[in-house]
Short mmCIF file of all heavy atoms in Angstrom, two decimals:
data_model
loop_
_atom_site.label_atom_id
_atom_site.label_comp_id
_atom_site.label_asym_id
_atom_site.label_seq_id
_atom_site.Cartn_x
_atom_site.Cartn_y
_atom_site.Cartn_z
N GLN A 112 -1.74 6.62 11.57
CA GLN A 112 -2.70 7.61 12.10
C GLN A 112 -2.36 8.99 11.55
O GLN A 112 -1.20 9.21 11.14
CB GLN A 112 -2.68 7.60 13.62
CG GLN A 112 -3.25 6.34 14.22
CD GLN A 112 -3.24 6.39 15.70
OE1 GLN A 112 -2.23 6.25 16.37
NE2 GLN A 112 -4.45 6.52 16.30
N ALA A 114 -2.93 13.27 12.42
CA ALA A 114 -3.48 14.37 13.26
C ALA A 114 -2.87 15.65 12.76
O ALA A 114 -1.85 15.64 12.02
CB ALA A 114 -3.15 14.12 14.74
N GLY A 116 -1.65 18.71 14.83
CA GLY A 116 -0.50 19.18 15.62
C GLY A 116 0.10 18.06 16.46
O GLY A 116 1.31 17.80 16.44
N THR A 117 -0.78 17.38 17.27
CA THR A 117 -0.38 16.33 18.17
C THR A 117 -1.44 15.25 18.12
O THR A 117 -2.59 15.53 17.92
CB THR A 117 -0.27 16.83 19.62
OG1 THR A 117 -1.51 17.40 20.04
CG2 THR A 117 0.83 17.92 19.81
N LEU A 118 -0.99 14.04 18.42
CA LEU A 118 -1.99 12.93 18.52
C LEU A 118 -2.56 12.95 19.91
O LEU A 118 -3.75 12.61 20.06
CB LEU A 118 -1.27 11.58 18.25
CG LEU A 118 -2.12 10.37 18.17
CD1 LEU A 118 -3.13 10.49 17.01
CD2 LEU A 118 -1.32 9.14 17.96
N PHE A 119 -1.76 13.31 20.94
CA PHE A 119 -2.25 13.47 22.29
C PHE A 119 -2.98 14.83 22.42
O PHE A 119 -2.35 15.86 22.12
CB PHE A 119 -1.12 13.40 23.27
CG PHE A 119 -1.45 13.58 24.73
CD1 PHE A 119 -2.15 12.61 25.42
CD2 PHE A 119 -1.21 14.77 25.37
CE1 PHE A 119 -2.56 12.77 26.72
CE2 PHE A 119 -1.57 14.98 26.70
CZ PHE A 119 -2.26 13.97 27.35
N ARG A 120 -4.19 14.82 22.84
CA ARG A 120 -5.02 16.02 22.93
C ARG A 120 -4.92 16.91 21.70
O ARG A 120 -4.48 18.08 21.77
CB ARG A 120 -4.62 16.83 24.20
CG ARG A 120 -4.80 15.94 25.46
CD ARG A 120 -4.98 16.77 26.72
NE ARG A 120 -6.24 17.57 26.65
CZ ARG A 120 -6.56 18.47 27.54
NH1 ARG A 120 -5.76 18.77 28.56
NH2 ARG A 120 -7.68 19.13 27.40
N PRO A 121 -5.39 16.38 20.57
CA PRO A 121 -5.23 17.10 19.28
C PRO A 121 -6.03 18.37 19.24
O PRO A 121 -5.69 19.35 18.48
CB PRO A 121 -5.83 16.08 18.26
CG PRO A 121 -6.69 15.19 19.06
CD PRO A 121 -6.03 15.08 20.42
N ASP A 125 -1.34 21.99 19.82
CA ASP A 125 0.05 22.25 20.25
C ASP A 125 1.01 21.89 19.14
O ASP A 125 0.68 21.11 18.24
CB ASP A 125 0.37 21.42 21.50
CG ASP A 125 -0.20 22.04 22.76
OD1 ASP A 125 -0.42 23.27 22.75
OD2 ASP A 125 -0.44 21.28 23.71
N TYR A 126 2.25 22.35 19.27
CA TYR A 126 3.29 22.06 18.29
C TYR A 126 4.26 20.99 18.79
O TYR A 126 4.56 20.94 19.99
CB TYR A 126 4.09 23.33 17.99
CG TYR A 126 3.37 24.37 17.26
CD1 TYR A 126 2.56 25.32 17.90
CD2 TYR A 126 3.44 24.41 15.82
CE1 TYR A 126 1.90 26.29 17.15
CE2 TYR A 126 2.71 25.36 15.14
CZ TYR A 126 1.97 26.29 15.81
OH TYR A 126 1.28 27.22 15.10
N ILE A 127 4.72 20.14 17.90
CA ILE A 127 5.81 19.19 18.21
C ILE A 127 7.10 19.77 17.59
O ILE A 127 7.30 19.65 16.38
CB ILE A 127 5.47 17.77 17.70
CG1 ILE A 127 4.27 17.23 18.51
CG2 ILE A 127 6.69 16.85 17.85
CD1 ILE A 127 3.78 15.91 18.09
N THR A 130 11.89 16.42 20.95
CA THR A 130 11.59 15.07 21.36
C THR A 130 10.67 15.06 22.55
O THR A 130 9.78 14.21 22.64
CB THR A 130 12.89 14.32 21.67
OG1 THR A 130 13.63 15.06 22.64
CG2 THR A 130 13.73 14.07 20.43
N THR A 131 10.86 16.03 23.47
CA THR A 131 9.96 16.13 24.62
C THR A 131 8.51 16.39 24.22
O THR A 131 7.58 15.82 24.77
CB THR A 131 10.50 17.27 25.54
OG1 THR A 131 11.86 17.10 25.69
CG2 THR A 131 9.82 17.24 26.89
N ASP A 132 8.34 17.27 23.25
CA ASP A 132 6.99 17.58 22.77
C ASP A 132 6.38 16.35 22.17
O ASP A 132 5.13 16.20 22.21
CB ASP A 132 7.02 18.62 21.62
CG ASP A 132 7.51 20.00 22.04
OD1 ASP A 132 7.52 20.30 23.28
OD2 ASP A 132 7.97 20.79 21.16
N ALA A 133 7.17 15.50 21.62
CA ALA A 133 6.63 14.31 20.87
C ALA A 133 6.21 13.19 21.81
O ALA A 133 5.35 12.39 21.47
CB ALA A 133 7.68 13.81 19.94
N ASP A 134 6.80 13.13 23.01
CA ASP A 134 6.59 11.96 23.89
C ASP A 134 5.12 11.66 24.17
O ASP A 134 4.72 10.48 24.05
CB ASP A 134 7.40 12.12 25.16
CG ASP A 134 8.89 11.78 24.91
OD1 ASP A 134 9.17 10.96 23.98
OD2 ASP A 134 9.71 12.28 25.65
N PRO A 135 4.30 12.60 24.62
CA PRO A 135 2.86 12.22 24.87
C PRO A 135 2.19 11.62 23.69
O PRO A 135 1.37 10.74 23.83
CB PRO A 135 2.25 13.57 25.33
CG PRO A 135 3.39 14.42 25.75
CD PRO A 135 4.56 14.04 24.89
N SER A 136 2.49 12.11 22.47
CA SER A 136 1.84 11.60 21.30
C SER A 136 2.43 10.16 20.95
O SER A 136 1.66 9.29 20.58
CB SER A 136 2.04 12.51 20.09
OG SER A 136 1.27 13.69 20.28
N LEU A 137 3.75 9.99 21.08
CA LEU A 137 4.33 8.69 20.82
C LEU A 137 3.75 7.68 21.77
O LEU A 137 3.54 6.48 21.43
CB LEU A 137 5.85 8.75 20.98
CG LEU A 137 6.59 9.52 19.86
CD1 LEU A 137 8.04 9.86 20.31
CD2 LEU A 137 6.64 8.71 18.56
N ASP A 138 3.48 8.10 22.99
CA ASP A 138 2.92 7.17 24.04
C ASP A 138 1.54 6.66 23.71
O ASP A 138 1.12 5.55 24.14
CB ASP A 138 2.83 7.87 25.43
CG ASP A 138 4.21 8.08 26.07
OD1 ASP A 138 5.16 7.39 25.63
OD2 ASP A 138 4.26 8.94 26.97
N VAL A 139 0.79 7.40 22.94
CA VAL A 139 -0.66 6.97 22.71
C VAL A 139 -0.88 6.53 21.30
O VAL A 139 -2.00 6.30 20.86
CB VAL A 139 -1.63 8.12 23.02
CG1 VAL A 139 -1.56 8.49 24.49
CG2 VAL A 139 -1.40 9.38 22.13
N MET A 140 0.21 6.32 20.50
CA MET A 140 0.03 5.85 19.16
C MET A 140 -0.57 4.45 19.07
O MET A 140 -0.13 3.56 19.80
CB MET A 140 1.38 5.92 18.37
CG MET A 140 1.69 7.34 17.88
SD MET A 140 3.36 7.49 17.15
CE MET A 140 3.25 6.39 15.74
N GLU A 141 -1.51 4.29 18.16
CA GLU A 141 -2.17 2.94 18.01
C GLU A 141 -1.70 2.23 16.73
O GLU A 141 -2.17 1.15 16.38
CB GLU A 141 -3.69 3.13 17.95
CG GLU A 141 -4.27 3.61 19.26
CD GLU A 141 -5.73 4.04 19.15
OE1 GLU A 141 -6.35 3.77 18.12
OE2 GLU A 141 -6.19 4.70 20.07
N ARG A 142 -0.84 2.90 15.98
CA ARG A 142 -0.27 2.33 14.77
C ARG A 142 1.23 2.66 14.80
O ARG A 142 1.64 3.58 15.50
CB ARG A 142 -0.90 2.97 13.52
CG ARG A 142 -2.38 2.77 13.35
CD ARG A 142 -2.66 1.30 13.02
NE ARG A 142 -4.12 1.06 12.76
CZ ARG A 142 -5.00 0.73 13.78
NH1 ARG A 142 -4.58 0.64 15.05
NH2 ARG A 142 -6.25 0.55 13.49
N CYS A 145 2.63 7.75 12.64
CA CYS A 145 1.62 8.81 12.73
C CYS A 145 2.18 10.01 11.97
O CYS A 145 3.33 10.37 12.14
CB CYS A 145 1.36 9.16 14.17
SG CYS A 145 0.22 10.55 14.38
N VAL A 147 1.85 14.12 11.16
CA VAL A 147 1.34 15.44 11.63
C VAL A 147 1.91 16.53 10.74
O VAL A 147 2.76 16.30 9.90
CB VAL A 147 1.74 15.67 13.09
CG1 VAL A 147 1.12 14.66 14.06
CG2 VAL A 147 3.24 15.68 13.28
N LEU A 156 10.22 11.87 14.53
CA LEU A 156 10.54 11.54 15.93
C LEU A 156 10.27 10.04 16.13
O LEU A 156 9.18 9.61 15.81
CB LEU A 156 9.73 12.41 16.87
CG LEU A 156 10.07 13.86 16.60
CD1 LEU A 156 8.88 14.71 16.28
CD2 LEU A 156 10.93 14.43 17.72
N ARG A 158 11.04 6.09 18.15
CA ARG A 158 11.55 5.23 19.24
C ARG A 158 12.05 3.97 18.51
O ARG A 158 11.35 3.13 18.05
CB ARG A 158 10.43 4.88 20.21
CG ARG A 158 10.00 6.17 20.97
CD ARG A 158 9.51 5.81 22.38
NE ARG A 158 9.12 7.05 23.03
CZ ARG A 158 7.95 7.26 23.61
NH1 ARG A 158 7.01 6.34 23.57
NH2 ARG A 158 7.69 8.40 24.21
N VAL A 181 7.70 3.02 16.97
CA VAL A 181 6.80 4.04 16.56
C VAL A 181 7.50 5.24 15.96
O VAL A 181 8.63 5.58 16.37
CB VAL A 181 5.92 4.59 17.76
CG1 VAL A 181 4.80 3.65 18.10
CG2 VAL A 181 6.79 4.85 18.96
N SER A 182 6.93 5.80 14.87
CA SER A 182 7.53 6.93 14.17
C SER A 182 6.46 7.99 14.01
O SER A 182 5.37 7.70 13.47
CB SER A 182 8.00 6.49 12.78
OG SER A 182 8.80 5.39 12.83
N LEU A 183 6.77 9.17 14.48
CA LEU A 183 5.88 10.31 14.29
C LEU A 183 6.53 11.24 13.25
O LEU A 183 7.66 11.68 13.47
CB LEU A 183 5.73 11.05 15.60
CG LEU A 183 4.77 12.22 15.68
CD1 LEU A 183 3.35 11.71 15.94
CD2 LEU A 183 5.15 13.15 16.78
#
Side-chain angles (χ1 to χ4, degrees):
Q112 292 182 286
T117 57
L118 187 61
F119 177 74
R120 301 203 65 187
D125 281 335
Y126 289 87
I127 293 177
T130 53
T131 314
D132 295 339
D134 282 332
S136 291
L137 288 164
D138 288 342
V139 298
M140 280 174 62
E141 295 171 11
R142 297 290 183 272
C145 178
V147 296
L156 298 126
R158 292 210 179 125
V181 281
S182 310
L183 184 86

